Each structure stands twice: as structure tokens, then as C-alpha cells.
Coordinates of all heavy atoms in Angstrom, one line a residue:
M1 N 0.8 -1.2 0.0 CA 0.0 0.0 0.0 C 0.9 1.2 0.0 O 1.8 1.4 0.8 CB -0.9 0.0 1.2 CG -1.7 1.2 1.4 SD -3.0 1.0 2.6 CE -2.2 1.4 4.1
T2 N 0.7 2.2 -0.9 CA 1.5 3.4 -1.0 C 0.7 4.6 -0.5 O -0.5 4.7 -0.8 CB 1.8 3.6 -2.5 OG1 2.5 2.5 -3.0 CG2 2.6 4.9 -2.7
L3 N 1.4 5.4 0.4 CA 0.8 6.6 0.9 C 1.9 7.6 1.2 O 3.1 7.3 0.9 CB 0.0 6.3 2.1 CG 0.7 5.7 3.3 CD1 -0.1 6.0 4.6 CD2 0.8 4.2 3.2
L4 N 1.6 8.7 1.7 CA 2.5 9.7 2.0 C 3.0 9.6 3.5 O 2.3 9.2 4.4 CB 2.0 11.1 1.8 CG 1.5 11.4 0.4 CD1 0.9 12.8 0.3 CD2 2.7 11.3 -0.6
L5 N 4.3 10.0 3.7 CA 4.8 9.9 5.1 C 3.9 10.7 6.1 O 3.7 10.3 7.2 CB 6.2 10.5 5.1 CG 6.9 10.5 6.4 CD1 7.0 9.1 7.1 CD2 8.4 11.1 6.2
A6 N 3.4 11.8 5.6 CA 2.5 12.6 6.5 C 1.3 11.9 6.9 O 0.6 12.3 7.9 CB 2.2 13.9 5.8
D7 N 0.8 10.9 6.1 CA -0.4 10.2 6.4 C -0.2 8.9 7.3 O -1.2 8.2 7.6 CB -1.1 9.8 5.1 CG -1.5 11.1 4.3 OD1 -1.8 12.1 4.9 OD2 -1.5 11.0 3.1
L8 N 1.0 8.6 7.6 CA 1.2 7.4 8.4 C 0.7 7.6 9.8 O 0.8 8.7 10.4 CB 2.7 7.1 8.6 CG 3.4 6.4 7.4 CD1 5.0 6.3 7.8 CD2 2.9 5.0 7.1
P9 N 0.1 6.5 10.4 CA -0.3 6.6 11.8 C 0.9 6.6 12.7 O 2.0 6.1 12.3 CB -1.2 5.4 12.0 CG -1.0 4.5 10.8 CD -0.3 5.3 9.8
L10 N 0.7 7.1 13.9 CA 1.9 7.2 14.9 C 2.4 5.7 15.1 O 1.6 4.8 15.2 CB 1.4 7.8 16.2 CG 1.2 9.2 16.3 CD1 0.7 9.7 17.6 CD2 2.4 10.0 15.9
G11 N 3.7 5.6 15.1 CA 4.4 4.4 15.3 C 4.5 3.5 14.1 O 5.2 2.5 14.1
A12 N 3.8 3.9 13.0 CA 3.9 3.0 11.8 C 5.2 3.0 11.2 O 5.9 4.0 11.1 CB 2.8 3.5 10.8
R13 N 5.6 1.9 10.6 CA 6.8 1.7 9.9 C 6.5 1.6 8.4 O 5.4 1.0 8.0 CB 7.6 0.5 10.3 CG 8.0 0.6 11.8 CD 8.6 -0.8 12.2 NE 8.8 -0.8 13.6 CZ 9.9 -0.4 14.3 NH1 10.9 0.1 13.5 NH2 10.0 -0.5 15.5
A14 N 7.4 2.0 7.5 CA 7.2 2.0 6.1 C 8.6 2.1 5.4 O 9.6 2.2 6.1 CB 6.3 3.1 5.6
L15 N 8.6 1.9 4.1 CA 9.8 2.1 3.3 C 9.6 3.3 2.4 O 8.5 3.4 1.8 CB 10.1 0.9 2.5 CG 10.5 -0.4 3.3 CD1 10.7 -1.6 2.3 CD2 11.7 -0.2 4.2
V16 N 10.6 4.1 2.2 CA 10.6 5.2 1.2 C 10.4 4.6 -0.1 O 11.2 3.7 -0.5 CB 11.8 6.1 1.3 CG1 11.8 7.2 0.2 CG2 12.0 6.7 2.7
R17 N 9.5 5.1 -0.9 CA 9.3 4.7 -2.3 C 9.9 5.7 -3.2 O 10.6 5.3 -4.1 CB 7.8 4.5 -2.6 CG 7.5 3.9 -3.9 CD 6.0 3.5 -4.0 NE 5.8 2.9 -5.3 CZ 5.3 3.6 -6.3 NH1 5.0 4.9 -6.2 NH2 5.1 3.0 -7.5
Q18 N 9.6 6.9 -3.0 CA 10.1 8.0 -3.9 C 9.9 9.4 -3.2 O 9.0 9.5 -2.4 CB 9.6 8.0 -5.3 CG 8.1 8.3 -5.4 CD 7.6 8.3 -6.8 OE1 8.3 8.1 -7.7 NE2 6.3 8.5 -6.9
L19 N 10.6 10.4 -3.7 CA 10.3 11.7 -3.4 C 9.6 12.4 -4.5 O 9.8 12.1 -5.6 CB 11.6 12.5 -3.1 CG 12.5 12.1 -1.9 CD1 13.8 12.9 -1.9 CD2 11.7 12.2 -0.6
R20 N 8.5 13.2 -4.2 CA 7.8 13.9 -5.2 C 7.4 15.2 -4.7 O 7.2 15.4 -3.5 CB 6.5 13.0 -5.6 CG 5.5 12.9 -4.5 CD 4.4 11.9 -4.9 NE 3.4 12.0 -3.9 CZ 2.2 12.6 -4.0 NH1 1.9 13.1 -5.2 NH2 1.3 12.6 -3.1
S21 N 7.2 16.1 -5.6 CA 6.8 17.5 -5.2 C 5.3 17.8 -5.5 O 4.9 17.7 -6.7 CB 7.7 18.5 -5.9 OG 7.4 19.8 -5.5
P22 N 4.5 18.0 -4.5 CA 3.1 18.4 -4.7 C 3.1 19.7 -5.4 O 4.1 20.5 -5.5 CB 2.5 18.4 -3.4 CG 3.6 18.4 -2.4 CD 4.8 17.9 -3.1
A23 N 1.9 20.1 -6.0 CA 1.8 21.3 -6.7 C 2.2 22.5 -5.9 O 2.9 23.4 -6.5 CB 0.3 21.5 -7.1
D24 N 1.9 22.6 -4.6 CA 2.4 23.7 -3.8 C 3.6 23.3 -2.9 O 3.8 24.0 -1.9 CB 1.2 24.2 -2.9 CG 0.8 23.1 -1.9 OD1 1.2 21.9 -2.1 OD2 0.1 23.4 -0.9
G25 N 4.3 22.4 -3.4 CA 5.4 21.8 -2.6 C 6.7 22.4 -2.7 O 6.9 23.6 -3.0
L26 N 7.7 21.5 -2.5 CA 9.1 22.0 -2.5 C 9.7 22.1 -3.9 O 9.3 21.3 -4.8 CB 9.9 21.0 -1.6 CG 9.4 20.7 -0.2 CD1 10.3 19.6 0.4 CD2 9.4 22.0 0.6
D27 N 10.8 22.8 -4.0 CA 11.4 22.9 -5.3 C 12.5 21.7 -5.3 O 12.7 21.0 -4.4 CB 12.1 24.3 -5.5 CG 13.1 24.6 -4.5 OD1 13.8 23.7 -3.9 OD2 13.3 25.8 -4.2
A28 N 13.2 21.6 -6.5 CA 14.1 20.5 -6.7 C 15.2 20.6 -5.7 O 15.7 19.5 -5.2 CB 14.7 20.6 -8.1
Q29 N 15.7 21.7 -5.3 CA 16.8 21.8 -4.3 C 16.4 21.3 -3.0 O 17.1 20.6 -2.3 CB 17.3 23.2 -4.2 CG 18.5 23.4 -3.4 CD 19.0 24.8 -3.4 OE1 18.3 25.8 -3.8 NE2 20.3 25.0 -3.0
Q30 N 15.1 21.6 -2.6 CA 14.6 21.1 -1.3 C 14.4 19.6 -1.3 O 14.6 19.0 -0.3 CB 13.4 21.9 -0.9 CG 13.6 23.4 -0.6 CD 12.4 24.2 -0.6 OE1 11.5 24.1 -1.5 NE2 12.2 25.0 0.5
L31 N 13.9 19.1 -2.4 CA 13.7 17.7 -2.6 C 15.1 17.0 -2.5 O 15.2 15.9 -1.9 CB 13.0 17.3 -3.9 CG 11.5 17.6 -3.9 CD1 11.0 17.3 -5.3 CD2 10.8 16.7 -2.9
Q32 N 16.1 17.6 -3.1 CA 17.5 17.0 -3.0 C 18.0 17.0 -1.6 O 18.6 16.0 -1.2 CB 18.4 17.8 -3.9 CG 19.8 17.3 -3.9 CD 20.8 18.1 -4.7 OE1 20.4 18.9 -5.5 NE2 22.1 17.8 -4.6
R33 N 17.6 18.0 -0.8 CA 18.0 18.0 0.6 C 17.4 16.9 1.4 O 18.1 16.2 2.2 CB 17.6 19.3 1.2 CG 18.0 19.4 2.7 CD 17.5 20.7 3.3 NE 17.5 20.7 4.7 CZ 16.5 20.2 5.5 NH1 15.4 19.9 4.9 NH2 16.6 20.2 6.8
L34 N 16.1 16.5 1.1 CA 15.5 15.4 1.7 C 16.2 14.1 1.4 O 16.4 13.3 2.2 CB 14.0 15.3 1.3 CG 13.1 16.3 1.9 CD1 11.7 16.1 1.3 CD2 13.0 16.2 3.5
G35 N 16.6 14.0 0.2 CA 17.4 12.8 -0.2 C 18.7 12.7 0.5 O 19.2 11.7 0.9
E36 N 19.4 13.9 0.6 CA 20.7 13.9 1.4 C 20.5 13.6 2.8 O 21.4 13.1 3.5 CB 21.3 15.3 1.2 CG 21.8 15.6 -0.2 CD 22.2 17.0 -0.5 OE1 21.9 17.9 0.3 OE2 22.7 17.3 -1.6
L37 N 19.3 13.9 3.4 CA 19.0 13.6 4.8 C 18.8 12.1 5.0 O 18.7 11.6 6.1 CB 17.9 14.4 5.3 CG 18.1 15.9 5.5 CD1 16.8 16.6 5.8 CD2 19.2 16.1 6.6
G38 N 18.6 11.3 3.9 CA 18.4 9.9 4.0 C 17.1 9.4 3.5 O 16.9 8.1 3.5
F39 N 16.2 10.2 3.0 CA 15.0 9.7 2.4 C 15.2 9.2 1.0 O 14.9 9.9 0.0 CB 13.9 10.9 2.4 CG 13.5 11.2 3.8 CD1 14.1 12.3 4.5 CD2 12.5 10.5 4.5 CE1 13.8 12.6 5.8 CE2 12.1 10.8 5.8 CZ 12.8 11.9 6.4
L40 N 15.8 8.0 0.9 CA 16.1 7.4 -0.3 C 15.2 6.2 -0.5 O 14.8 5.5 0.4 CB 17.6 7.0 -0.4 CG 18.6 8.1 -0.2 CD1 20.0 7.6 0.1 CD2 18.5 9.1 -1.4
P41 N 14.9 5.8 -1.8 CA 14.1 4.6 -2.0 C 14.7 3.3 -1.3 O 15.9 3.1 -1.3 CB 14.2 4.4 -3.5 CG 14.4 5.8 -4.1 CD 15.3 6.4 -3.0
G42 N 13.7 2.7 -0.6 CA 14.1 1.4 0.2 C 14.5 1.7 1.6 O 14.6 0.7 2.4
E43 N 14.7 2.9 2.0 CA 15.1 3.3 3.4 C 13.9 3.1 4.3 O 12.8 3.6 4.0 CB 15.7 4.7 3.4 CG 16.4 5.0 4.7 CD 17.7 4.2 4.9 OE1 18.3 3.8 3.9 OE2 18.0 4.0 6.0
P44 N 14.1 2.4 5.5 CA 13.0 2.3 6.4 C 12.8 3.6 7.1 O 13.7 4.4 7.5 CB 13.5 1.2 7.4 CG 15.0 1.2 7.3 CD 15.3 1.7 5.8
V45 N 11.5 3.9 7.4 CA 11.1 5.1 8.1 C 10.0 4.8 9.1 O 9.3 3.8 8.9 CB 10.5 6.2 7.2 CG1 11.6 6.8 6.3 CG2 9.4 5.8 6.4
Q46 N 9.9 5.6 10.2 CA 8.9 5.4 11.2 C 8.4 6.7 11.7 O 9.3 7.6 12.0 CB 9.4 4.5 12.3 CG 8.3 4.3 13.4 CD 8.9 3.4 14.5 OE1 10.1 3.2 14.7 NE2 8.0 2.9 15.4
L47 N 7.1 6.9 11.7 CA 6.6 8.2 12.3 C 6.5 8.0 13.8 O 5.8 7.2 14.3 CB 5.2 8.5 11.8 CG 4.6 9.8 12.2 CD1 5.4 11.0 11.9 CD2 3.2 9.9 11.6
I48 N 7.3 8.8 14.5 CA 7.4 8.7 16.0 C 6.4 9.5 16.7 O 5.8 9.1 17.7 CB 8.9 9.0 16.4 CG1 9.9 8.2 15.7 CG2 9.0 8.9 17.9 CD1 9.8 6.7 16.0
R49 N 6.3 10.8 16.3 CA 5.4 11.7 17.0 C 5.0 12.9 16.2 O 5.7 13.2 15.2 CB 6.2 12.2 18.2 CG 5.4 13.3 19.1 CD 6.2 13.6 20.3 NE 6.1 12.4 21.2 CZ 5.9 12.5 22.5 NH1 5.8 13.7 23.1 NH2 5.7 11.4 23.2
R50 N 3.9 13.4 16.5 CA 3.4 14.7 15.8 C 3.4 15.8 16.8 O 3.4 15.6 18.0 CB 1.9 14.5 15.4 CG 1.8 13.5 14.2 CD 0.3 13.4 13.7 NE 0.2 12.4 12.7 CZ 0.4 12.6 11.4 NH1 0.8 13.8 11.0 NH2 0.3 11.6 10.6
G51 N 3.5 17.0 16.3 CA 3.6 18.2 17.1 C 2.2 18.4 17.8 O 1.3 17.7 17.7
P52 N 2.1 19.5 18.5 CA 0.9 19.9 19.3 C -0.3 19.9 18.4 O -0.3 20.4 17.2 CB 1.2 21.3 19.8 CG 2.6 21.5 19.8 CD 3.2 20.6 18.7
G53 N -1.4 19.3 18.9 CA -2.6 19.2 18.1 C -2.5 18.3 16.9 O -3.4 18.3 16.0
G54 N -1.6 17.4 16.9 CA -1.4 16.4 15.8 C -0.9 17.0 14.6 O -1.0 16.5 13.5
R55 N -0.3 18.2 14.7 CA 0.2 18.9 13.5 C 1.7 18.7 13.4 O 2.3 17.6 13.5 CB -0.2 20.4 13.6 CG -1.7 20.6 13.8 CD -2.5 20.6 12.5 NE -2.0 21.5 11.6 CZ -2.1 21.4 10.3 NH1 -2.8 20.5 9.8 NH2 -1.6 22.3 9.4
E56 N 2.4 19.8 13.1 CA 3.8 19.8 12.9 C 4.6 20.4 14.1 O 4.0 21.1 14.9 CB 4.3 20.4 11.6 CG 3.8 21.9 11.5 CD 4.1 22.4 10.1 OE1 4.3 21.8 9.1 OE2 4.1 23.7 10.0
P57 N 5.8 20.0 14.2 CA 6.6 19.2 13.3 C 6.3 17.7 13.6 O 5.8 17.3 14.6 CB 8.1 19.5 13.8 CG 8.0 19.8 15.2 CD 6.6 20.5 15.4
L58 N 6.8 16.9 12.6 CA 6.7 15.4 12.7 C 8.0 14.9 13.1 O 9.0 15.2 12.5 CB 6.2 14.8 11.4 CG 4.9 15.3 10.8 CD1 4.7 14.6 9.5 CD2 3.8 15.1 11.7
A59 N 8.1 14.0 14.1 CA 9.3 13.4 14.5 C 9.4 12.1 13.7 O 8.5 11.3 13.8 CB 9.4 13.1 16.0
V60 N 10.4 11.9 12.9 CA 10.5 10.8 12.0 C 11.8 10.1 12.1 O 12.9 10.8 12.2 CB 10.3 11.2 10.5 CG1 10.5 10.1 9.5 CG2 9.0 11.9 10.3
L61 N 11.8 8.8 12.2 CA 13.1 8.0 12.3 C 13.3 7.5 10.8 O 12.5 6.8 10.3 CB 12.9 6.9 13.2 CG 14.1 6.1 13.6 CD1 15.1 7.0 14.3 CD2 13.8 4.9 14.4
V62 N 14.4 7.9 10.2 CA 14.8 7.5 8.9 C 16.1 6.7 9.1 O 17.1 7.3 9.5 CB 14.8 8.6 7.8 CG1 15.8 9.7 8.3 CG2 15.2 8.1 6.5
G63 N 16.1 5.4 8.8 CA 17.3 4.6 9.1 C 17.5 4.7 10.6 O 16.6 4.3 11.4
D64 N 18.6 5.2 11.0 CA 18.9 5.3 12.5 C 18.9 6.7 12.9 O 19.4 7.0 14.0 CB 20.3 4.7 12.8 CG 20.4 3.2 12.5 OD1 19.3 2.5 12.8 OD2 21.4 2.7 12.1
T65 N 18.4 7.6 12.1 CA 18.5 9.1 12.4 C 17.1 9.7 12.7 O 16.2 9.4 11.9 CB 19.1 9.8 11.2 OG1 20.4 9.2 10.9 CG2 19.3 11.3 11.5
M66 N 16.9 10.4 13.8 CA 15.7 11.0 14.1 C 15.7 12.5 13.5 O 16.7 13.2 13.7 CB 15.5 11.1 15.6 CG 14.3 11.9 16.0 SD 12.8 10.8 16.2 CE 13.3 9.8 17.5
L67 N 14.7 12.8 12.8 CA 14.6 14.1 12.2 C 13.2 14.8 12.5 O 12.2 14.0 12.7 CB 14.7 14.0 10.6 CG 16.0 13.5 10.1 CD1 15.9 13.2 8.6 CD2 17.1 14.4 10.4
A68 N 13.1 16.1 12.5 CA 11.9 16.8 12.5 C 11.5 17.4 11.2 O 12.4 18.0 10.5 CB 12.0 17.9 13.6
L69 N 10.3 17.1 10.7 CA 9.9 17.5 9.4 C 8.7 18.4 9.5 O 7.8 18.2 10.3 CB 9.6 16.4 8.4 CG 10.7 15.4 8.1 CD1 10.1 14.3 7.1 CD2 11.8 16.1 7.4
R70 N 8.5 19.3 8.6 CA 7.3 20.1 8.4 C 6.3 19.1 7.6 O 6.8 18.2 6.9 CB 7.5 21.4 7.6 CG 8.5 22.3 8.3 CD 8.7 23.5 7.5 NE 9.4 23.1 6.3 CZ 9.5 23.8 5.2 NH1 8.9 24.9 5.0 NH2 10.2 23.4 4.1
L71 N 5.0 19.5 7.7 CA 4.0 18.7 7.0 C 4.3 18.7 5.5 O 4.2 17.7 4.8 CB 2.6 19.2 7.3 CG 2.0 18.7 8.6 CD1 0.7 19.4 8.8 CD2 1.8 17.2 8.6
L72 N 4.7 19.9 5.0 CA 5.0 20.1 3.6 C 6.1 19.1 3.1 O 6.0 18.5 2.1 CB 5.3 21.5 3.3 CG 5.7 21.9 1.9 CD1 4.5 21.6 0.9 CD2 6.1 23.3 1.7
E73 N 7.1 19.0 4.0 CA 8.2 18.0 3.6 C 7.7 16.6 3.7 O 8.0 15.8 2.8 CB 9.4 18.2 4.6 CG 10.0 19.6 4.4 CD 10.9 20.0 5.6 OE1 10.7 19.5 6.7 OE2 11.9 20.7 5.3
A74 N 7.0 16.3 4.7 CA 6.5 14.9 4.8 C 5.5 14.5 3.7 O 5.4 13.3 3.4 CB 5.8 14.7 6.2
R75 N 4.8 15.5 3.1 CA 3.9 15.2 2.0 C 4.7 14.9 0.7 O 4.1 14.6 -0.3 CB 2.9 16.3 1.8 CG 1.9 16.4 2.9 CD 0.9 17.5 2.6 NE 0.0 17.6 3.8 CZ -0.3 18.7 4.5 NH1 0.3 19.8 4.1 NH2 -1.1 18.7 5.5
C76 N 6.0 15.1 0.7 CA 6.8 14.9 -0.5 C 7.5 13.5 -0.5 O 8.1 13.2 -1.4 CB 7.9 16.0 -0.6 SG 7.3 17.6 -0.9
V77 N 7.3 12.8 0.6 CA 7.9 11.5 0.8 C 6.8 10.4 0.6 O 6.0 10.3 1.5 CB 8.6 11.3 2.1 CG1 9.3 10.0 2.2 CG2 9.6 12.4 2.4
E78 N 6.9 9.7 -0.5 CA 5.9 8.6 -0.7 C 6.5 7.4 -0.2 O 7.7 7.1 -0.4 CB 5.7 8.4 -2.3 CG 4.5 7.6 -2.6 CD 4.3 7.6 -4.1 OE1 4.0 8.7 -4.7 OE2 4.5 6.6 -4.8
V79 N 5.7 6.6 0.6 CA 6.2 5.4 1.3 C 5.3 4.3 1.0 O 4.1 4.5 0.5 CB 6.2 5.6 2.8 CG1 7.2 6.7 3.2 CG2 4.9 5.9 3.4
T80 N 5.8 3.1 1.3 CA 5.0 1.9 1.1 C 5.0 1.1 2.4 O 6.0 1.0 3.0 CB 5.5 1.0 -0.1 OG1 4.6 -0.1 -0.3 CG2 6.9 0.5 0.1
Q81 N 3.9 0.4 2.7 CA 3.8 -0.4 3.9 C 3.6 -1.8 3.5 O 3.0 -2.7 4.1 CB 2.6 0.0 4.7 CG 2.9 1.3 5.5 CD 1.8 1.6 6.5 OE1 0.7 1.9 6.2 NE2 2.2 1.4 7.8
D82 N 4.2 -2.2 2.3 CA 4.2 -3.6 1.8 C 4.9 -4.5 2.9 O 6.1 -4.3 3.2 CB 5.0 -3.7 0.5 CG 5.1 -5.1 -0.1 OD1 4.3 -5.9 0.3 OD2 6.0 -5.3 -0.9
A83 N 4.2 -5.5 3.4 CA 4.7 -6.4 4.4 C 5.9 -7.1 4.0 O 6.9 -7.3 4.8 CB 3.6 -7.3 4.9
E84 N 6.0 -7.6 2.8 CA 7.2 -8.3 2.4 C 8.4 -7.4 2.3 O 9.5 -7.8 2.7 CB 7.0 -8.9 0.9 CG 6.0 -10.1 1.0 CD 5.9 -10.7 -0.4 OE1 6.8 -10.5 -1.3 OE2 4.8 -11.3 -0.7
A85 N 8.2 -6.2 1.8 CA 9.4 -5.3 1.7 C 9.9 -4.9 3.1 O 11.0 -4.8 3.4 CB 9.0 -4.0 1.0
L86 N 8.9 -4.7 4.1 CA 9.3 -4.3 5.4 C 10.0 -5.5 6.1 O 11.0 -5.2 6.9 CB 8.0 -3.9 6.3 CG 7.5 -2.6 5.9 CD1 6.1 -2.4 6.6 CD2 8.4 -1.5 6.4
A87 N 9.6 -6.7 5.8 CA 10.3 -7.8 6.5 C 11.7 -8.0 6.0 O 12.6 -8.4 6.7 CB 9.5 -9.1 6.2
A88 N 11.9 -7.6 4.7 CA 13.3 -7.7 4.1 C 14.2 -6.6 4.6 O 15.4 -6.7 4.5 CB 13.2 -7.7 2.6
A89 N 13.6 -5.5 5.1 CA 14.5 -4.3 5.4 C 15.2 -4.5 6.8 O 14.9 -5.1 7.6 CB 13.6 -3.1 5.5

């Protein structure tokens, strides 16, 4: 099942599928920065916590690194919760 990192429930684990820019989203340089931070295809991610009121920032574990993302950034990370792929990661 493919969805956006911003839509994962708390504690859910997934794998990065791809980075994409929504219509009102980030430019190419900002997407490149997400890739440099570790949001690469096949990398495991987990949504750890949401900010006050369930909003931003989002605390995300990517690989072994904890990062804080804005909702706009999290909406640019497409993830998959495919059970087979998660078991292999």
C-alpha cells in the first residue's frame, strides 16, 4: 500500500518509495536536501510523534536518524507499507 509519510499513523513503519513534489510543494533543491538527509528509495522510516494538536513538526526516524519535518516536507515522501518489503528491510 502506497501513501505519504505525512499520512502514516503514529508508530507505523514503512519504506521510502520516492520523493515527489506536490503542486504547492518543495522545489528541486529542497527535494534533493530530503534525499541527502536519508529519504532514499528502500530506506526504512517510522513516524514517531506529531507536534501539538497532531500537526507539525513530525518526528520521523529514517534509518537510524531522528529528524523533525514540516508537513509540507512529509507530504513529499511517498512510502509503502508492503509487508514483504518491510520484512526484508
Side-chain angles (χ1 to χ4, degrees):
M1 174 165 85
T2 299
L3 62 157
L4 300 178
L5 178 58
D7 298 330
L8 280 179
L10 285 180
R13 297 175 190 270
L15 296 176
V16 175
R17 186 166 182 267
Q18 68 178 355
L19 295 178
R20 65 186 190 106
S21 184
D24 62 342
L26 306 178
D27 62 27
Q29 187 175 19
Q30 292 167 312
L31 285 176
Q32 180 179 349
R33 179 181 164 273
L34 285 175
E36 291 168 352
L37 289 172
F39 292 94
L40 301 170
E43 191 67 29
V45 294
Q46 182 179 12
L47 181 59
I48 302 296
R49 179 171 285 222
R50 292 182 183 274
R55 304 278 305 154
E56 55 187 19
L58 303 179
V60 177
L61 190 64
V62 58
D64 294 324
T65 305
M66 177 89 66
L67 299 169
L69 295 182
R70 297 175 296 159
L71 279 173
L72 179 61
E73 294 165 328
R75 288 185 184 123
C76 293
V77 181
E78 194 173 295
V79 298
T80 183
Q81 287 190 288
D82 178 22
E84 286 182 28
L86 284 170

